[in-house]
Amino acid sequence: MKVGVPKETAVNERRVALTPDVTARLVKAGVPVQIEPGAGTAASFADEAYRAAGATLGTGATDVVLKVQPPAAEEVARYAEGTVVVALFQPSAVREVVTQLAARKVTTFSLALLPRITRAQAMDVLSSQATVAGYKAVLMAAAATGRFFPMLVTAAGTLPPARVLVLGAGVAGLQAIATARRLGAVVSAFDVRPAVKEQVESLGAKFVAMEITEQAETKGGYAKELSEDTHRRELAFIAQQVKEADIVITTAAIPGKKAPVLISADAVRGMKPGSVIVDLAVETGGNCELAQPGRDVLENGVAILGPLNLASTLPFHASQMYARNISTFLLHLVKDGALALDFNDEIIRDTCVTHGGEVRKT
Ligand code: NAD
């Protein structure tokens, strides 16, 4: 069983599915690895480092293909029947490619569908890449604002610290809180899941609470869509909170659904000029009504940033974490040096998008 890592072809994708150290781990486990020349260059991993790790360099067909982005149509056309492809994507976002993969009898896994269970934690790319996004969102906000983050006492006067509000305190939100705190900001955060309060406070931030009488959390620990009435109250509550903030980072998501709108256009107009919003949910519809995917919007002096694929902007460490996740997943598929797909296993069943000519997840 040979594993191949192609150079990512999507625009603005700088990550690579395997790093040299993880390649060495796979080679040691008896899995031969082939890396396309230049595959790691954008993430600062040289071909020579992969060769030293025991990989071959080339572009020949392999039994398994490890990727970050879903394959492009031209890539799918080159796969032989029975090839196994592992990548990170929502099947609904690339329906045509999924149909093509099934037609070519390729077995495809998406790590975006991984169950968030303890057994799968080491494979959890959603968490590792959200960590990168949460961190980078704060750096983007710090670069865009006209203020210092920390309080400064200088001969030229005392400058107050920036006030940062984080909406949605899951993996990305908690990392944003930690990063903003390290830069010296005064941070507060809000989430509909009550369990989050303690985590927010343990990072030195204030939890701003709104009374929510309905059950806002699923058994799996995710947020649920709020009732219309509670959502209306939430919008009014947040409109008050954002008035005080210099920076707002939004990360709220509901798995499989459009992201909830948390900041209305009116709420933006109520904010101080010079404030910055970074909307991490822009890819799934946005938490701020005025956010635009991949664009910066200026409304009433408020900058609204809608960055796409933030994880790719920190490619070295994002790839390092991704490579550990995907290699753990791969080794989970292998028994005695050969692929063994046990569809009774939740991890394999839930992530399998195409197999044996069928589309299993849409
Ligand atoms: P996510 O990306 O789906 O959502 C981000 C955050 O937005 C969540 O905290 C959610 O509660 C919040 N949110 C949703 N709707 C909202 C609204 N209307 N207003 C305010 N906030 C709203 O979530 P995630 O970061 O991927 O993970 C969520 C939780 O799952 C985390 O707390 C994490 O602990 C847990 N998790 C568990 C495992 C595991 O192995 N058991 C692994 C990863 C994550």
Side-chain angles (χ1 to χ4, degrees), residues 73-152:
E74 312 81 76
E75 290 177 282
V76 181
R78 288 197 296 269
Y79 297 150
E81 190 175 308
T83 304
V84 171
V85 178
V86 189
L88 170 61
F89 61 98
Q90 289 299 341
S92 58
V94 284
R95 285 218 170 90
E96 277 177 30
V97 166
V98 169
T99 310
Q100 196 193 352
L101 285 159
R104 289 198 72 82
K105 298 204 170 65
V106 171
T107 298
T108 319
F109 293 96
S110 172
L111 297 177
L113 307 178
L114 203 71
R116 307 296 274 279
I117 53 176
T118 311
R119 208 157 55 84
Q121 246 168 16
M123 312 170 193
D124 188 353
V125 292
L126 289 181
S127 288
S128 71
Q129 305 306 293
T131 299
V132 178
Y135 167 81
K136 200 62 193 274
V138 173
L139 300 191
M140 287 184 78
T145 177
R147 320 173 66 96
F148 281 112
F149 263 45
M151 182 176 97
L152 289 186

Side-chain angles (χ1 to χ4, degrees), residues 116-117 121 124 127 169-171 191-193 223 234 251-253 260 262:
R116 307 296 274 279
I117 53 176
Q121 246 168 16
D124 188 353
S127 288
V171 180
D191 198 297
V192 286
R193 292 182 300 120
E234 183 185 26
T251 76
L262 305 183

Side-chain angles (χ1 to χ4, degrees), residues 194-280:
V196 166
K197 180 175 188 282
E198 217 177 282
Q199 295 165 14
V200 166
E201 288 172 350
S202 73
L203 291 171
K206 181 179 158 208
F207 186 75
V208 291
M210 169 190 136
E211 201 195 338
I212 297 176
T213 46
E214 67 199 52
Q215 175 61 265
E217 188 165 346
T218 64
K219 280 203 190 80
Y222 282 113
K224 272 194 194 160
E225 216 167 357
L226 298 175
S227 67
E228 220 172 284
D229 181 51
T230 307
H231 185 232
R232 204 175 313 119
R233 283 201 298 115
E234 183 185 26
L235 281 174
F237 171 75
I238 289 173
Q240 288 305 315
Q241 300 296 327
V242 295
K243 279 185 186 167
E244 306 294 320
D246 301 307
I247 311 287
V248 185
I249 312 275
T250 74
T251 76
I254 298 162
K257 297 235 159 78
K258 195 173 168 294
V261 172
L262 305 183
I263 308 175
S264 65
D266 270 352
V268 172
R269 288 177 203 119
M271 290 174 71
K272 293 179 289 187
S275 308
V276 177
I277 299 173
V278 182
D279 189 340
L280 286 190

